[in-house]
Amino acid sequence: MTTQARIVWDDSFTGYDFGEGHPMSPIRLDLTARLCRSFGLFDSECEIIAPDTPDDALLTRVHSTDYIDAVKRASVDPGHADLRFGLGTEDDPAFAGIHEVSARIAEGSRAVAEGVWRGEVKHGVNFTGGLHHAMRDSASGFCIYNDAGVAIDWLLEQGAERIAYVDIDAHHGDGVERMFWNDPRVLTISVHETGTILFPGTGFPNDIGGLDAPGSAVNLALPPGVGDAGWLRAFHAVAPAVLRAFRPQIIVSQHGADSHFRDPLAHLSVSVDAQRILAESLHDLSHELCDGKWIALGGGGYEVVSVVPRTWTHLTAVALHRPIPVDTAVPQGWLDDVTARLGEQAPDMMGDGTSDDGRIWWRSWEVGYDPEDPIDRAAMKTREAVFPHHGLDLWFD
């Protein structure tokens, strides 16, 4: 019997900890797992795994040996982290055990990919992962090892010929894109705030892939301030058509929650309700296009109490085919725990009240293009850049 979902979690993953005051607090992972448990999600049809530290052979396929060695040295002696590899910086300070926990996160994404690809589970979730900025030779943007890259590379080794990676983090998925820039077997789609405003300053519409893979990189760069309706319209104006043309055998998606209007590091204005809708959309596309083969990862998200736990609990629930209505009350025990431990009052509902029974109205692309709308202009630039490479009509697909 196929299990519904394989989920990566163990309390030890909170060891991915850059220290007090760093935006990427591990409390977001702990609170997500606790909220999932409060809804009984970890007791349903799922398999919870806690991977061990993998051999270096897994990592050296997407990271250089010199970089891995530098991470290992920093793991033993954080005070002598090598800045040449992006370690010991304000964004990526070294800490004891940095290699082991980062490698375990990467192995977690590989393991859920294995389960989905081999049909052992229907979906896979690793909300500790989604570390999409890590480069082959360096740490970047709070990311040490690129777990999405590791999972995709493993799938290619197993013979996958068409893998789609969809990234809805507020920040451009630059590390994953760069790893597969010239590989026509991997389609990378990133929907993010424009790099003219936000780190890492990349991901523009004309960045479409290497000479051997034109159209394999799809970048939708949105202006700051985009809210629910605009975000959903932009995504649906680009991603579904390209995915259907590409016909992936498996979808890997990254669900950074930093598009939220409360996030302190980005400038989008998206709600938990809309983030849940896109999780459902990607889930549905996986069933439409690749027999439900779907791997969902975490990512950014720096409002660690009010946003990330609800968003990723919704993501986990969608993968378990047990979606939680946005008007559901947050379990009181979880709220009390947050107040007792952190002195904060978390939202008492699973949504932000921006939707009608979980539905948000957004203007479909089929009703026409508005050249005066900056969101439409952003979507059109991406369509112009990539649609011809997929045999898609600029105006009607």
Side-chain angles (χ1 to χ4, degrees):
M1 179 178 176
T2 302
T3 304
Q4 180 58 43
R6 178 174 291 174
I7 299 169
V8 176
W9 181 247
D10 182 81
D11 290 347
S12 62
F13 282 102
T14 58
Y16 192 84
D17 185 358
F18 291 113
E20 185 176 355
H22 193 281
M24 201 167 184
S25 169
I27 194 68
R28 67 197 195 125
L29 303 178
D30 174 73
L31 293 179
T32 297
R34 287 171 182 261
L35 190 55
C36 285
R37 286 197 181 100
S38 294
F39 279 105
L41 298 180
F42 286 1
D43 300 326
S44 57
E45 296 181 18
C46 68
E47 173 190 348
I48 307 295
I49 63 169
D52 293 329
T53 305
D55 293 338
D56 287 357
L58 179 72
L59 303 173
T60 54
R61 296 191 55 84
V62 299
H63 292 292
S64 69
T65 300
D66 287 346
Y67 173 56
I68 295 167
D69 288 344
V71 177
K72 285 184 171 181
R73 290 194 298 271
S75 196
V76 174
D77 185 2
H80 289 83
D82 196 332
L83 290 170
R84 295 175 301 169
F85 297 96
L87 299 166
T89 65
E90 184 177 356
D91 278 359
D92 298 286
F95 57 85
I98 190 172
H99 165 74
E100 289 76 14
V101 69
S102 301
R104 290 180 65 216
I105 290 170
E107 168 60 12
S109 291
R110 188 213 64 82
V112 295
E114 178 180 3
V116 172
W117 183 249
R118 293 184 174 172
E120 299 164 359
V121 295
K122 294 179 181 177
H123 304 317
V125 179
N126 184 9
F127 55 74
T128 74
L131 305 178
H132 60 167
H133 294 309
M135 296 292 179
R136 176 171 178 79
D137 297 305
S138 67
S140 178
F142 315 158
C143 304
I144 306 302
Y145 294 138
N146 197 313
D147 62 291
V150 166
I152 292 168
D153 177 81
W154 185 89
L155 289 165
L156 292 172
E157 279 297 293
Q158 305 311 302
E161 297 175 344
R162 296 182 309 282
I163 303 168
Y165 171 76
V166 184
D167 190 316
I168 60 172
D169 194 288
H171 302 79
H172 176 227
D174 58 336
V176 183
E177 178 185 275
R178 182 54 49 187
M179 287 177 176
F180 304 103
W181 177 254
N182 203 36
D183 192 331
R185 298 172 297 174
V186 182
L187 172 72
T188 62
I189 300 175
S190 182
V191 182
H192 51 269
E193 184 178 348
T194 175
T196 61
I197 302 291
L198 193 66
F199 176 90
T202 54
F204 297 100
N206 288 326
D207 299 329
I208 62 169
L211 292 176
D212 295 330
S216 66
V218 181
N219 284 293
L220 179 49
L222 297 173
V226 172
D228 289 356
W231 193 61
L232 294 171
R233 172 171 167 79
F235 175 88
H236 286 283
V238 173
V242 176
L243 286 168
R244 289 177 179 125
F246 184 69
R247 297 180 298 109
Q249 295 165 295
I250 191 166
I251 293 174
V252 181
S253 56
Q254 196 266 22
H255 296 259
D258 44 9
S259 59
H260 195 271
F261 56 79
R262 291 186 179 179
D263 193 88
L265 299 189
H267 315 95
L268 301 180
S269 297
V270 176
S271 69
V272 166
D273 305 51
Q275 291 170 339
R276 175 185 180 274
I277 286 171
L278 271 201
E280 290 184 316
S281 294
L282 286 162
H283 167 260
D284 292 347
L285 283 163
S286 78
H287 280 284
E288 175 190 341
L289 300 174
C290 45
D291 196 30
K293 289 184 170 59
W294 179 44
I295 300 154
L297 309 176
Y302 309 102
E303 210 317 311
V304 300
V305 174
S306 296
V307 176
V308 173
R310 290 185 297 154
T311 298
W312 291 349
T313 296
H314 279 303
L315 178 65
T316 304
V318 168
L320 285 166
H321 290 189
R322 292 183 55 190
I324 300 169
V326 291
D327 60 356
T328 302
V330 174
Q332 190 61 49
W334 187 86
L335 293 171
D336 292 343
D337 179 62
V338 168
T339 301
R341 295 167 64 203
L342 305 175
E344 293 191 32
Q345 182 62 52
D348 60 3
M349 302 296 290
M350 284 299 289
D352 288 324
T354 63
S355 62
D356 179 12
D357 194 25
R359 296 185 296 271
I360 294 173
W361 182 88
W362 51 273
R363 192 164 54 91
S364 170
W365 193 261
E366 284 78 5
V367 305
Y369 164 61
D370 180 1
E372 301 301 317
D373 186 333
I375 299 169
D376 278 23
R377 291 199 301 271
M380 180 57 83
K381 286 180 181 178
T382 302
R383 290 167 68 96
E384 289 173 340
V386 300
F387 271 33
H389 294 284
H390 295 276
L392 295 168
D393 187 279
L394 184 63
W395 298 100
F396 300 109
D397 284 318

